[in-house]
Amino acid sequence: MDSQLKKGVLEVCVLHAISKSESYGYKIISDLQGIIEMSESTLYPILKRLETGGFLVTRTAEHNGRLRRYYKITPLGLKKLVSGRNDLLEINVIYKKLFGGKL
């Protein structure tokens, strides 16, 4: 998959994973398991990029004696999620027209 396309898809997946409630890295990876493969080394740069862009906010809290960073989607992040969802739907329509829904 083209790296720019994959980057956009991964961002939408991460935003979706935290759209209903705040979450943390390991849980995000677990929530996306079976949907898309993602490692910690892939996830954390995406989270940082989304945070820098104003799509996420973070807070740090202690959990079992360790600090854990929690991520929460912002209103701007929700807009990006909707836009990304619409892009994926458009890609799906194009795919079906080109290939008749077959691989």
Side-chain angles (χ1 to χ4, degrees), residues 80-100:
K80 184 173 180 69
L81 175 58
V82 169
S83 174
R85 178 185 172 273
N86 291 339
D87 290 345
L88 290 174
L89 289 172
E90 187 176 333
I91 290 169
N92 190 41
V93 167
I94 293 167
Y95 171 83
K96 286 180 178 178
K97 286 180 180 179
L98 284 174
F99 302 106

Side-chain angles (χ1 to χ4, degrees), residues 39-102:
S39 66
E40 288 182 23
S41 63
T42 300
L43 174 64
Y44 287 105
I46 291 169
L47 289 169
K48 184 64 177 169
R49 190 169 52 247
L50 290 170
E51 180 184 9
T52 301
F55 305 110
L56 301 176
V57 292
T58 63
R59 73 176 178 90
T60 303
E62 189 175 325
H63 177 77
N64 292 336
R66 294 177 40 186
L67 290 179
R68 179 183 280 171
R69 183 170 281 218
Y70 290 88
Y71 300 88
K72 183 177 179 180
I73 197 165
T74 64
L76 186 60
L78 287 171
K79 287 181 183 178
K80 184 173 180 69
L81 175 58
V82 169
S83 174
R85 178 185 172 273
N86 291 339
D87 290 345
L88 290 174
L89 289 172
E90 187 176 333
I91 290 169
N92 190 41
V93 167
I94 293 167
Y95 171 83
K96 286 180 178 178
K97 286 180 180 179
L98 284 174
F99 302 106
K102 298 176 184 174

Side-chain angles (χ1 to χ4, degrees), residues 5-46:
L5 179 59
K6 188 170 185 175
K7 178 178 151 184
V9 170
L10 291 174
E11 286 182 357
V12 170
C13 290
V14 169
L15 289 169
H16 175 75
I18 61 172
S19 64
K20 302 213 179 353
S21 65
E22 71 177 8
S23 193
Y24 54 95
Y26 181 78
K27 183 163 181 350
I28 295 168
I29 290 171
S30 296
D31 289 346
L32 294 175
Q33 201 168 27
I35 299 168
I36 194 162
E37 188 175 322
M38 187 177 308
S39 66
E40 288 182 23
S41 63
T42 300
L43 174 64
Y44 287 105
I46 291 169

